[in-house]
Structures are given as structure tokens and as C-alpha cells.
Amino acid sequence: MGTAESTKRKQKSANPVTAQREPNSCTSMADQKDNIDDFKVQTAKHPNISSAPLRPHSEQSKDRASKRLSTESNGTSDGGVGSSTPVEITALEESFRRFAVHGDTRATGKEMHGKNWSKLCKDCGVIDGKNITLTDVDIVFSKVKKKSCRTITYDEFKAAIGELARKKYKDKSGEEAEAEVFKLIEGKSPVISGVTRAVASPTVSRLTDTTKFTGSHKERFDETGRGKGKAGRVDIVDTSGYVSGYKHQGSYEKKVTKPTAGRPM
């Protein structure tokens, strides 16, 4: 008996890891049970989690754009890591970034192309057709940007707005004019237009009415307005041997070839 007990003690002392696994396994099973109980409680509190309605694609794209802008606004530098202290963005800068990333998935929102600059001025009502035109917008853009660049930064954007503001509101001072234009832009987003519809024009209708065609163009269409194809474009030569206007074409063989049935042999 003494030999058997000493053998068991040696095995336990030789395998201390096995001895430690038993309580750990019990602890892990208890943790799993607690996690399952917590999941059941959360499911009971929110029974309609899986039945939440899906949002439309347009809202999802807006969320992606706003998320991309928020990552750029957390005090980051070019190629740097985001800071824990976010930088406050004004409504004007937020609108600048929204238009800067419009139509370009690789844009960061820090620079704006000339096309988006023109769209911003058009959608926000800066262009009025009298004091400010599309040509004025393009001229100011070329004036404020650097010679070797095709985009403008936010500071250059504000300088361009100042140029347009003084031209749009000539009866006001520079700061008052800029404030008025800032109000037009703040909080705005790009306007996404729908599919262009064809407009019924009387001029187009007159030119496409086949009943009013004359000359050779009239011969290209039948009474219903359907095209005749090659027959309406090319004069097909009749090689049958009959004169034009002959109405008994194909009746000669019927007259010559008489039925033989009933004839006496």
C-alpha cells in the first residue's frame, strides 16, 4: 500500500500542469455559461434586433461620406495618426469637405477640384446670373489656386469666396459681403439631380413627323411612319421583262398550260 501511494504522489508532482488544468477548465465552462445567460438577457430585452428595417442606399452612402470626413477631422496630419482630441469644424468647412469628396471616392476632403467648386457655387446660390456668372467662378478659381495645382485648399477656398462676395454684394463692406456668402454655403450638401427627361418640343415634333416629309424622304417611310429599309433608299430595277403597269404578270403560263384531265386519248 505504501508503494502505491508513493507512486501516485510522484505522478501528481511530475504533472503539475495537469493538476492545474482541472480548475481552469471548470472556470472556462462557468464563463461560457455566464456569456450565454447574458446573451439570453440581451435578446429578451431587444427581441426585434434582426427585424430592423434596412436603410436606403443613399443614406448609407451619406454615412460613409460623413464617416470619411470625421476621420479627417480628428486632428490628423497628412500620413499621421489621429489625435485623441478632435478639432472643431465650422459649418463652412464641413460644407467645403462635403463638396470636395463629391463624385470622387479617393478624395480626402482637404482639396477641391474646379468641377466641384463650380457645383458648390451653383448649388448654394452664389451664381445669380447677373453679378456672378459661371465664367466669374472659373476665373476666381484660377486666380486663387497655385500655378502647378489643379485643386484649392480650404484657405484658398475662403479667399475665393471673398473675391466673389465683394463682386456679388457691391453695396456692402468686405466682411459683411463674406458673411452673406458664408450663410449661403454653411450646412449645404451637393444636390444630386435625377435622370434627365426628354422634353417634348414642337420643333422636334415637326421635324420627326413623317407625314410632312416631301420628295425622296417621303418614299423612305410607309403610311404608318415605319421605315421601308433598302426599298426606300435604293431604286430596285425590275428584271422580270414586263413593262411597267402590266397587271397580268404571271398569267401566261396558266393560259398555255391547260389541264389534261378529261381529254380523250
Side-chain angles (χ1 to χ4, degrees):
M1 292 294 291
T3 305
E5 291 178 358
S6 61
T7 304
K8 291 181 180 180
R9 290 173 183 173
K10 290 180 181 179
Q11 290 177 354
K12 290 181 179 180
S13 61
N15 298 325
V17 179
T18 308
Q20 293 177 1
R21 286 180 181 176
E22 293 179 358
N24 292 337
S25 61
C26 296
T27 306
S28 62
M29 292 179 63
D31 294 339
Q32 292 179 0
K33 186 176 180 181
D34 293 340
N35 293 334
I36 294 173
D37 294 338
D38 293 339
F39 176 76
K40 290 181 180 179
V41 172
Q42 294 294 333
T43 307
K45 290 181 179 180
H46 307 282
N48 297 326
I49 292 177
S50 60
S51 61
L54 297 176
R55 293 185 300 169
H57 180 72
S58 60
E59 295 184 4
Q60 295 178 4
S61 60
K62 290 181 180 179
D63 292 343
R64 287 196 296 268
S66 61
K67 188 181 295 183
R68 180 158 44 124
L69 294 176
S70 63
T71 56
E72 293 293 333
S73 63
N74 289 333
T76 59
S77 59
D78 293 338
V81 182
S83 174
S84 59
T85 304
V87 178
E88 293 184 0
I89 299 178
T90 61
L92 180 65
E93 187 175 357
E94 185 69 22
S95 298
F96 169 81
R97 295 193 174 197
R98 290 175 182 173
F99 280 92
V101 300
H102 177 69
D104 188 0
T105 57
R106 296 176 296 179
T108 61
K110 296 181 180 180
E111 296 178 347
M112 180 182 292
H113 289 275
K115 180 181 66 175
N116 291 354
W117 158 253
S118 300
K119 181 173 178 61
L120 181 145
C121 295
K122 181 179 179 181
D123 293 350
C124 297
V126 179
I127 299 176
D128 53 10
K130 297 180 181 179
N131 296 329
I132 303 295
T133 61
L134 185 60
T135 304
D136 298 328
V137 170
D138 295 336
I139 292 174
V140 171
F141 180 84
S142 301
K143 182 179 179 180
V144 299
K145 76 177 184 65
K146 298 179 182 178
K147 293 183 179 180
S148 60
C149 296
R150 301 175 60 184
T151 58
I152 58 175
T153 61
Y154 178 66
D155 294 334
E156 295 170 345
F157 165 76
K158 290 195 296 184
I161 292 297
E163 293 283 342
L164 295 178
R166 287 187 290 271
K167 190 172 183 179
K168 185 177 179 67
Y169 301 102
K170 298 179 181 179
D171 56 341
K172 296 183 180 181
S173 62
E175 294 181 357
E176 293 179 354
E178 289 183 6
E180 292 293 332
V181 178
F182 288 167
K183 290 180 182 179
L184 296 175
I185 301 175
E186 290 176 352
K188 298 295 182 62
S189 299
V191 177
I192 302 175
S193 58
V195 180
T196 305
R197 298 181 179 180
V199 180
S201 173
T203 304
V204 177
S205 301
R206 178 176 58 83
L207 295 175
T208 55
D209 188 3
T210 58
T211 59
K212 298 180 181 180
F213 288 178
T214 59
S216 60
H217 299 288
K218 183 179 180 180
E219 302 297 330
R220 296 173 55 190
F221 301 91
D222 56 10
E223 294 80 6
T224 62
R226 191 180 185 87
K228 295 181 181 179
K230 186 178 180 179
R233 301 191 306 268
V234 181
D235 292 334
I236 300 176
V237 180
D238 185 8
T239 59
S240 62
Y242 293 93
V243 296
S244 59
Y246 184 68
K247 300 181 180 179
H248 302 286
Q249 181 178 355
S251 62
Y252 175 76
E253 294 181 356
K254 294 181 180 179
K255 293 179 180 180
V256 174
T257 307
K258 298 179 179 180
T260 58
R263 286 187 178 183
M265 295 299 293

